[in-house]
Amino acid sequence: MPRSIPQAVLLVDGYNIIGAWSCLKKIRDTDGLEASRWQLIEDLTNYSAYQGIVTQVVFDAHYQNTCSNYEVITESLSAYYTSFGETADTYIEKVCAAFRPYLRGTLPIKSTKNSKLPVYSQSSRIIVATSDRAHQLTVVGYGAEWLSAAQLKFEVQTTAHRVRQKNKSRQQPSSRFLANSIDAKARQRLSEMRMGTKK
């Protein structure tokens, strides 16, 4: 069965979001950068799956002498670590620039060698999550949509709340009374005991 086309592609500037969310900053400061990265990934995994979007979290390796690394977390979420000398902003801008003609719906998408993103239809949207103002203006210029760190946090929290509510309603019995959850024969017996007709 072919995979359905996602509603949108979300590119997340990982360290920008970690620096903007107080909960992730606290994790970063107490447990380290890796712990905050994994918490962000966990939050976005649930969000992406529920919303039906494909998310790629991009982390800088700008000052580390490493090659780029692409890690598939789930079907709807991946992490990309840039190579030495490349920032997350630069990588995200390259992806947006590569998709620009397709975002305008003028060309069918065939391949994107440098983006590590799957192929999407003409109706796909690219959303960039960052609170960097200069970066925001650049990606919007390429035709992508922009989501601030605060907006992303609100959406992630709202989605988590909806998932909890949905799971809670599944777990609750249809009635809060014990008598309604037992069979008719046991209910009859209890009624007789209560009325004193059965000893």
Side-chain angles (χ1 to χ4, degrees):
M1 181 178 201
R3 201 171 132 192
S4 61
I5 294 167
Q7 294 177 19
V9 178
L10 174 63
L11 298 173
V12 178
D13 185 341
Y15 291 135
N16 181 276
I17 300 300
I18 288 171
W21 291 8
S22 57
C23 56
L24 294 178
K25 273 199 290 193
K26 187 175 180 181
I27 293 170
R28 180 194 65 196
D29 296 343
T30 56
D31 301 326
L33 198 52
E34 187 173 348
S36 63
R37 278 196 305 257
W38 281 107
Q39 184 59 55
L40 175 61
I41 286 169
E42 185 177 317
D43 292 343
L44 291 173
T45 299
N46 298 329
Y47 171 73
S48 301
Y50 188 83
Q51 296 295 336
I53 61 175
V54 170
T55 300
Q56 187 174 78
V57 190
V58 184
F59 295 107
D60 288 313
H62 183 59
Y63 298 111
Q64 296 181 15
N65 194 9
T66 57
C67 294
S68 64
N69 184 26
Y70 177 72
E71 194 174 332
V72 176
I73 312 297
T74 68
E75 188 175 291
S76 60
L77 187 126
S78 62
Y80 183 77
Y81 301 86
T82 66
S83 56
F84 178 71
E86 182 181 34
T87 65
D89 290 4
T90 305
Y91 172 80
I92 290 169
E93 287 167 17
K94 281 182 190 173
V95 173
C96 291
F99 273 82
R100 184 179 191 174
Y102 311 111
L103 293 172
R104 307 226 185 260
T106 56
L107 294 172
I109 294 178
K110 292 183 180 166
S111 69
T112 52
K113 293 177 186 174
N114 65 345
S115 72
K116 303 277 188 193
L117 287 171
V119 176
Y120 300 105
S121 76
Q122 291 179 28
S123 61
S124 289
R125 299 161 39 216
I126 290 187
I127 305 165
V128 176
T130 182
S131 284
D132 181 323
R133 179 77 175 144
H135 193 211
Q136 170 208 340
L137 294 171
T138 303
V139 299
V140 167
Y142 286 125
E145 298 169 42
W146 169 69
L147 195 63
S148 72
Q151 290 169 311
L152 180 63
K153 184 177 183 180
F154 175 77
E155 288 195 17
V156 167
Q157 289 174 336
T158 303
T159 299
H161 177 72
R162 285 184 188 143
V163 169
R164 280 193 301 273
Q165 291 300 106
K166 192 174 181 182
N167 290 338
K168 189 177 179 183
S169 66
R170 283 185 193 160
Q171 293 169 355
Q172 288 180 341
S174 58
S175 174
R176 61 187 181 125
F177 298 107
L178 176 63
N180 292 334
S181 63
I182 59 176
D183 65 45
K185 189 174 180 181
R187 201 170 27 247
Q188 175 65 35
R189 200 161 169 216
L190 282 171
S191 178
E192 289 171 1
M193 290 172 72
R194 195 171 49 247
M195 301 298 232
T197 56
K198 185 156 182 143
K199 297 194 181 190

